[in-house]
Amino acid sequence: MNIFEARMNELYELVKHHAELYYDKDAPEIPDSEYDALVRELNELERDYPEFSRKDFLTHKVGGSPSELFAKVEHKIPMLSLDNVFNPDELTNFFTRINLSGPFTCEMKIDGLAVSLIYQDGVFVQGATRGNGNIGEDVTENLLLIDAVPKKLINPPAGRVEVRGEVLMTLERFKAINARQEERGGKLFANPRNAAAGTLRQKDGKILAERGLDIFLYYLVDAEKFGVTRQSEALTWLKEKGLPIQEAWSLCENLDDAKNFISHWHDERYKLNYVTDGVVIKLDDLTQWPNIGSTSHAPRWAVAYKYPPEEARTKLLDIKISVGRTGVLTPVAILEPVRLAGTQVSRASLHNVDEISRKDIRVGDVVIVRKAAEIIPEIVNVDVSARTGQEKIFMMPANCPACNSEIVRLPEEAAYRCPNRASCPAQLKEGLRYFAARDGMNIKGLGKSLAEKLIASGKIKTLSDIYTLSLEDWMTLDKIGEKSAQNILAELEASKSRPFVNLLTALGILGVGKNAASLLVDEFGNIDNLKAASIDEISEIEGIGPVIARSVHEFFGNQANLKLIEDFRSLGFSMGSENVTLKEKNTLDGKIFVFTGSLSTMTRDEAGEKVKALGGKVSSSISKKTTYLIAGDKTGSKLQKAEELGVKILTEQEFLDMIS
Ligand code: IVH
């Protein structure tokens, strides 16, 4: 195998791993910019070495595909997409070429995740995502946790009712969740759509319920069966049955009316509490829909009018550098404030230095900023004709703005880095938030603002220092009262008894999030075995590539890191199990567990960790392959399914006996 093929194979594994963490597990381990850099490197290699390219790899697929993590559901009637038009003339052409002149319903196009809900005799029995249109994922359990999804219909018709719509996150929830994620050092969602998609496919029901997703229905399947002959009536019908619909819709006599609706909502949409990127225009007379028909992917009786992304001109005042947890330096554009898509914008992301030189962006330039689906605006291009000659070409500084260390650019990475992992205050600040995050030491209250205060106070030079501060130390931090200081001390004390996998995650080893950390703990059992492991031994673990293996090995080769680990050991942290024997480890080898309902002695996550530590697997849905269903309190439809499939059902106590 030549070196390029080897690198491509490695990149395929890495991209797959990180895409899974981001999209399926909602728990990314690396910043988006690093993920993008991996994909970019892979794309470049694919272009140069097509013979090693994997044609069916996820980056080549259009649209979603049903994930392996949920059971599959076949849609009796395919869930289609919509064709797009981008201006009034295209809208006219779309309908007049097949002689349709109205009336039409105009509805806002909701930027969420399409789902189908099935009610049997008025009771919600199944929900699925669109998947590839024919086969979606069974997300019934998760939809049951969304308050906005009615579990029963009002005055329901007998038999089966299928309705379709969009799961979404309101802007208010989105802002609140991102604020909390930021406070906890978690990953920020790029936009409400991503947040909704990530949340709906969450495995942890508690998080899903907390996040408060919403739903709007817009499609009644087989409407005529219920005496409904018009889309406008269908919307009213849905509402009468208790299904939420979005109220910004109107019945338009003809295309001119539809165009008025579209221009009215162009600005008004920013007053809505959810993101819409267009208007869906549907022929109101739904009895004609079957005659008019569909292409393989979209109906001919409806179309989506997409609003152009909002753009504005403003001045680029400065380019600042922010230093991330892993030392990656990201340039940020500081703009003269300008109104864009309903909000005031004064910053834009620049992703990386290559983008600045590719677009030839100079400080002082007049730039065009755009807000597309992403909440953070970006610079589209520069108005070169407005240049005065005073603009300054941006140069990456030679030294880190936070600690003055000399910046490095590793040959295999697009990003610039501050190499001072041990004591760069900017990295330490981000590292602290990561350390305290939920998957790490889960220290409530130690978020962004407290991390900033700690660093500014100069009281800590390394992570373990937070455990040496006294009540007075905490109280001398700006605005920390005695009560808060006591709370923090109690949280810190509690964090000392977290399992070893949390500490290993919290250390912030590059590429090692909760998932990789638990693979390492499964294999090596404790810190000393891990420390002694070679790169080869680490990369033999399924799910850990050579890049992560090297990163782990390098981490343990660094004196400052070894010192940090010894600090934690003397503070009484768990460093893993003393005696690790293979037999003990793999008693649940090959067994697949599914949990339903709540457990009384531990959370489902903790139970899952125990199963994995013993070599078993955890799945979210029941299938023939499931070995055991562990039934806690308040079980749902999984219990019935397990009985149907003859899957063995255990009580919580039986489960505890098995793993003890
Ligand atoms: S009707 C047969 N109405 O947009 C097609 N779709 O880009 C039925 N969408 O797949 C779709 N708001 O997920 C319809 N008011 C609305 C919508 C809507 C959002 C989504 C839907 C569709 C996608 C196409």
Side-chain angles (χ1 to χ4, degrees), residues 80-82 107-110 114 130 166 218 280 282 299:
L80 296 180
S81 179
L82 290 170
E107 304 162 30
M108 298 318 288
K109 183 164 165 10
I110 303 146
R130 180 163 79 187
E166 207 86 354
Y218 47 64
V280 183
K282 300 174 188 169

